[in-house]
Amino acid sequence: GESVGLHLPTLSVQEGDNSIINCAYSNSASDYFIWYKQESGKGPQFIIDIRSNMDKRQGQRVTVLLNKTVKHLSLQIAATQPGDSAVYFCAEGNQAGTALIFGKGTTLSVSS
Amino acid sequence: EAGVAQSPRYKIIEKRQSVAFWCNPISGHATLYWYQQILGQGPKLLIQFQNNGVVDDSQLPKDRFSAERLKGVDSTLKIQPAKLEDSAVYLCASSSHRGLEQYFGPGTRLTVT
């Protein structure tokens, strides 16, 4: 599958490949992290979240990994489909309820 | 469950004019957020409400932007007067617990000419 070690603004994969999108967050005090998918002309759509007491969480075809030591977050999408094509944003916040701070988006393009 | 509703979806105005956006959050959600998303960037918080009280408006340009949530449900965001750099998508989001699992509306795309 395709992966990126550092944040890249775009990622192109073939249908069926696994995709890995990386994100670096800035605030050591953040203890809640969330991935959103945004399609053209739509608002961000919740994908998966993770709290700081975990380092991995799995959903349907998606896995989020959290490395607090280096303040790094990644989203893995298994068997990527054309419908996964969108811009993906990571966001950080805290469980005390402050608003989310969004990272730079990654545009995922899936070709069949 | 109905999602977050926003209107209008699109708005084109000239600089120095006024504009208002409306948001109806998911039923029962106490927390409401307004974000500004400039093309190619992630959303940036403008203001956060908890019921009808302001929790965070530190990034709201208060000389021209205002927002209210009078009855703790619907909210309006106003810009007066608009500048060219206000061209963006204005997103409304709501959550049932402060800061967690925010659900976004479709946004209002504002173009200032």
Side-chain angles (χ1 to χ4, degrees):
Chain A
E2 291 287 332
S3 69
V4 290
L6 300 173
H7 171 264
L8 292 178
T10 61
L11 176 63
S12 296
V13 302
Q14 293 285 323
E15 182 178 3
D17 284 353
N18 296 329
S19 304
I20 300 175
I21 301 172
N22 293 309
C23 175
Y25 63 93
S26 57
N27 189 349
S28 300
S30 295
D31 60 5
Y32 176 71
F33 306 89
I34 189 167
W35 281 98
Y36 283 95
K37 171 186 180 183
Q38 188 172 28
E39 297 173 283
S40 181
K42 297 183 179 180
Q45 177 188 358
F46 172 87
I47 302 174
I48 191 167
D49 60 0
I50 188 168
R51 302 184 189 214
S52 60
N53 61 346
M54 304 172 68
D55 52 20
K56 180 180 180 179
R57 190 167 186 223
Q58 290 183 290
Q60 185 177 15
R61 283 200 307 117
V62 294
T63 301
V64 56
L65 299 177
L66 174 63
N67 185 331
K68 296 181 287 294
T69 303
V70 293
K71 293 191 286 187
H72 183 267
L73 195 66
S74 68
L75 176 70
Q76 301 177 2
I77 305 174
T80 314
Q81 303 169 0
D84 294 327
S85 294
V87 179
Y88 289 80
F89 290 99
C90 66
E92 60 182 298
N94 65 63
Q95 296 171 54
T98 59
L100 297 172
I101 299 171
F102 283 77
K104 299 175 183 178
T106 295
T107 300
L108 176 65
S109 298
V110 183
S111 53
S112 53
Chain B
E1 176 182 76
V4 176
Q6 289 188 248
S7 68
R9 291 296 316 277
Y10 306 92
K11 190 74 177 178
I12 301 173
I13 61 172
E14 295 182 350
K15 60 183 179 184
R16 292 187 288 274
Q17 286 188 322
S18 302
V19 65
F21 313 128
W22 174 83
C23 172
N24 181 242
I26 291 173
S27 177
H29 280 192
T31 309
L32 184 147
Y33 311 80
W34 283 102
Y35 288 86
Q36 180 193 59
Q37 186 175 25
I38 293 173
L39 186 65
Q41 299 180 18
K44 187 182 85 170
L45 179 75
L46 291 173
I47 190 167
Q48 176 183 350
F49 291 95
Q50 178 78 8
N51 296 309
N52 60 350
V54 175
V55 173
D56 183 356
D57 64 356
S58 58
Q59 298 183 77
L60 187 74
K62 299 180 186 65
D63 58 333
R64 298 184 301 106
F65 286 63
S66 65
E68 60 183 14
R69 193 184 184 201
L70 292 175
K71 296 183 179 180
V73 180
D74 294 6
S75 178
T76 56
L77 176 70
K78 298 179 181 178
I79 307 175
Q80 180 180 11
K83 293 185 176 181
L84 296 176
E85 59 261 35
D86 297 333
S87 294
V89 175
Y90 290 84
L91 294 162
C92 179
S94 69
S95 67
S96 59
H97 301 285
R98 287 175 63 190
L100 304 183
E101 291 189 44
Q102 294 181 30
Y103 296 90
F104 283 81
T108 296
R109 181 175 296 277
L110 173 68
T111 302
V112 182
T113 63

